[in-house]
Amino acid sequence: MLRIFVSHLLLLATLVAAPARAGEFQDDLRERRAKAMERLGPESLMILWSAPVRTYSRDIDYKYRQDSNLYYLTGIDQEETILVLMPGNLTRKEILFIKPRNPLREHWRGKIVTKAEATALSGIATVYLTAEFEPFVSAMFSRRPYPVPEEASSPEYSAFFKALDSGNARLALLLEPKAALTGPLSPPYEFANRLRERFSGFSTRDAGDVLRDLRQVKTLYEQKLLERCLEISSEAQMAGMRAARPGAYEYEVEAAIEYVFRARGALGWGYPSIVGSGPNATILHYDKSSRKMEAGDLLLVDAAANYEYISGDITRTYPVSGTFSPKQSDIYRIVLAAQDEAVKVARAGSRLSDIHRKAVETIKDGLLKLGLITDVNGDQYRTWFTHGSSHFIGLDVHDVGDNQKPLAPGMAFTIEPGIYIREAALEDLPKTAENIAFIDKVRPVALQYRDIGVRIEDSFLLTGSGLKRLSEKVPRTLEEVEGFMRSRARREVSR
């Protein structure tokens, strides 16, 4: 019950704080919607639904998280919300549907946003209740104004009605690729099919490409949020480094990190924190945080905050005892060099694939020198480097975007090479003659580096003046990391 009470306070605080952020945030939301409508065209009607509430167990729900695209265009963090954009309308181009007030529901779950508050948060003037959504849609596809005006011949919706008459109207929804449809149709597909059974004159298009392209280039307002997100995340990562020590548990580091998230005004984590020590550092999405750290362990921490629905991404790997062993240093220096080299090619006009290719080249060379691979021309390196080097960040930590689109100012992304030495990786290779020879050759070396996992990840923003590392405050080089851990130890002794 305390959790529910706190969530109520947070919602009220958000509403109270809305006027303070309203001007700049509303202006940015209006600009986003205007750009979306320009790309949709006057003959389109776009509909976005809020994310559903998800049940954790029985009558307890997960903490609500709004659909990223709906939040991107409205700033509304409330379930049972629907956005309609009609670019061809004369005045009501943006229409919002929200759930009605309910005193009993508010007593249990917290205040429901009113029409006036929805307008204040989003900047959308036309707000209806959700019960009006189906009548509204029926009216639009029946070529009837809504609500019925004093003059039934109002030209408000004439552009869309004419498009229906000519068969050129477009219904824009978020539709996953048909190739991915292996089960029941998604709600947007079902909605489109129901409309086709009743009405004609329109085709359905996926709105995902419009929103993906817009979200890929961050507005100046989003860039400010992203920088603040990474400031908080950087502070949290360093708090985790201070908490790491032999004999402590992984969850103590996780708690120190996530305390900073909330204490500095973030909504929480942008993704479940990964805190893996020893052999757990070789598990990409390790989530247990239950192991006691031992002297000599490396600790890999992948954690960042969600600030105003913007998520960054930072990973650091460091020795809990304060000093890298020679073998740990070998792997760390390769990963660090791979990131440094990848950063050099991260500029306007290049692609994420170019960044990855450069990181791979450096890692191949390093692995060959250590004897962990025997050939730089093939895919042997994939035994130890098992993921991509970059992804976009933003409203989602793995944000939408076209990986083959040339980088441009306003794009934000990570660079995150890693090496993970797992003996099981050799055992799981198909037993071809080529692989058997490879295994026999590298196994003795792999045993020397067994259970060492290193990833170094930073968040970057490409600006008009160049590349900006948003997480640069977190110690990164081997010398910086060891120096930070030594200074931490001295502070503990001085107490």
Side-chain angles (χ1 to χ4, degrees):
M1 291 303 108
L2 178 60
R3 179 178 65 84
I4 295 175
F5 175 71
V6 171
S7 69
H8 295 175
L9 291 180
L10 290 173
L11 175 59
L12 289 172
T14 299
L15 295 174
V16 170
R21 68 168 188 168
E24 189 176 3
F25 189 39
Q26 279 190 9
D27 290 345
D28 204 53
L29 290 170
R30 289 191 186 97
E31 184 66 21
R32 297 175 198 178
R33 293 193 295 266
K35 289 180 179 178
M37 288 189 286
E38 182 180 358
R39 298 190 182 203
L40 288 168
E43 298 175 328
S44 295
L45 184 155
M46 185 179 82
I47 303 174
L48 294 181
W49 285 268
S50 57
V53 174
R54 301 291 187 184
T55 301
Y56 172 72
S57 178
R58 294 197 66 191
D59 58 347
I60 302 298
D61 295 330
Y62 284 101
K63 183 178 180 180
Y64 186 70
R65 207 281 187 186
Q66 185 58 280
D67 174 79
S68 294
N69 288 303
L70 184 73
Y71 187 85
Y72 178 75
L73 295 178
T74 69
I76 300 292
D77 183 16
Q78 179 172 278
E79 68 273 18
E80 299 179 41
T81 302
I82 306 170
L83 173 67
V84 174
L85 294 182
M86 299 187 69
N89 285 2
L90 297 181
T91 59
R92 298 174 191 156
K93 299 176 183 291
E94 309 165 344
I95 304 166
L96 198 64
F97 296 84
I98 62 171
K99 64 183 180 181
R101 297 285 306 279
N102 182 317
L104 180 60
R105 190 173 183 178
E106 291 185 11
H107 174 59
W108 281 95
R109 301 302 300 271
K111 192 176 186 303
I112 295 173
V113 173
T114 66
K115 289 183 179 182
E117 289 165 343
T119 295
L121 287 167
S122 67
I124 297 175
T126 304
V127 182
Y128 300 131
L129 298 180
T130 49
E132 300 178 79
F133 175 68
E134 289 294 341
F136 170 83
V137 170
S138 294
M140 291 301 98
F141 284 87
S142 298
R143 303 161 180 79
R144 291 185 284 105
Y146 187 95
V148 178
E150 293 182 4
E151 296 182 10
S153 59
S154 169
E156 176 66 40
Y157 307 99
S158 59
F160 185 69
F161 293 168
K162 289 178 181 177
L164 285 171
D165 288 337
S166 63
N168 294 321
R170 293 188 295 273
L171 171 64
L173 306 171
L174 286 175
L175 305 171
E176 67 268 38
K178 290 186 177 180
L181 294 176
T182 57
L185 292 178
S186 66
Y189 266 113
E190 291 181 345
F191 177 83
N193 287 342
R194 289 197 301 270
L195 279 185
R196 289 193 194 96
E197 292 173 358
R198 299 171 56 199
F199 306 105
S200 61
F202 71 95
S203 59
T204 303
R205 65 161 295 185
D206 183 14
D209 57 345
V210 170
L211 294 169
R212 179 195 65 211
D213 290 346
L214 290 177
R215 286 174 54 185
Q216 189 165 6
V217 178
K218 274 51 183 176
T219 65
L220 292 178
Y221 181 78
E222 287 182 291
Q223 292 177 34
K224 286 170 57 177
L225 295 183
L226 186 62
E227 292 200 35
R228 178 55 182 156
C229 171
L230 270 302
E231 287 176 3
I232 295 170
S233 302
S234 297
E235 183 180 344
Q237 279 276 359
M238 289 186 285
M241 295 176 75
R242 295 186 189 99
R245 64 189 185 280
Y249 285 86
E250 294 165 342
Y251 57 71
E252 295 180 65
V253 175
E254 182 175 353
I257 290 169
E258 295 185 2
Y259 169 81
V260 174
F261 292 164
R262 297 297 286 135
R264 298 297 178 267
L267 297 173
W269 45 254
Y271 52 93
S273 299
I274 299 167
V275 183
S277 62
N280 294 337
T282 68
I283 303 172
L284 298 184
H285 285 177
Y286 171 72
D287 63 356
K288 301 299 183 184
S289 301
S290 58
R291 182 177 178 273
K292 180 187 284 189
M293 293 174 280
E294 300 176 359
D297 279 349
L298 282 184
L299 178 64
L300 186 154
V301 177
D302 189 341
N306 168 3
Y307 181 74
E308 297 290 333
Y309 269 72
I310 294 290
S311 295
D313 207 350
I314 306 175
T315 303
R316 288 295 186 268
T317 309
Y318 43 90
V320 298
S321 300
T323 304
F324 290 95
S325 72
K327 295 300 183 187
Q328 292 168 349
S329 297
D330 289 343
I331 300 298
Y332 196 92
R333 291 186 189 281
I334 295 172
V335 176
L336 183 67
Q339 193 194 48
D340 286 341
E341 291 301 310
V343 167
K344 293 177 183 177
V345 302
R347 57 182 179 268
S350 63
R351 296 172 171 81
L352 293 191
S353 56
D354 299 323
I355 296 172
H356 179 67
R357 189 178 304 111
K358 191 63 177 179
V360 167
E361 289 176 4
T362 307
I363 283 180
K364 281 182 175 181
D365 289 341
L367 292 174
L368 183 66
K369 289 176 182 177
L370 292 185
L372 284 165
I373 62 173
T374 62
D375 182 5
V376 296
N377 296 314
D379 289 338
Q380 291 179 358
Y381 78 95
R382 291 181 182 272
T383 308
W384 316 119
F385 180 23
T386 52
H387 57 78
S389 300
S390 297
H391 59 80
F392 293 110
I393 53 175
L395 283 173
D396 295 297
V397 68
H398 293 148
D399 208 27
V400 294
D402 182 354
N403 288 0
Q404 294 307 311
K405 188 173 183 177
L407 295 176
M411 292 186 183
F413 51 90
T414 68
I415 300 179
E416 53 168 319
I419 294 175
Y420 317 90
I421 309 301
R422 299 170 59 245
E423 187 175 6
L426 293 176
E427 300 300 333
D428 293 339
L429 289 173
K431 296 304 184 286
T432 64
E434 182 180 359
N435 283 343
I436 291 172
F438 166 66
I439 293 168
D440 290 343
K441 184 72 174 179
V442 305
R443 187 192 295 278
V445 181
L447 290 175
Q448 297 176 42
Y449 290 93
R450 180 173 52 192
D451 293 339
I452 294 178
V454 175
R455 180 161 67 251
I456 304 172
E457 177 180 24
D458 287 280
S459 291
F460 296 85
L461 174 65
L462 188 59
T463 71
S465 56
L467 191 65
K468 187 172 185 179
R469 191 191 299 262
L470 301 179
S471 43
E472 64 180 357
K473 292 182 180 179
V474 190
R476 186 181 68 93
T477 68
L478 188 146
E479 294 76 18
E480 289 170 347
V481 170
E482 289 188 337
F484 185 93
M485 300 300 282
R486 283 196 297 269
S487 66
R488 172 214 61 173
R490 284 196 296 270
R491 283 194 297 271
E492 290 179 352
V493 171
S494 67
R495 296 198 194 107

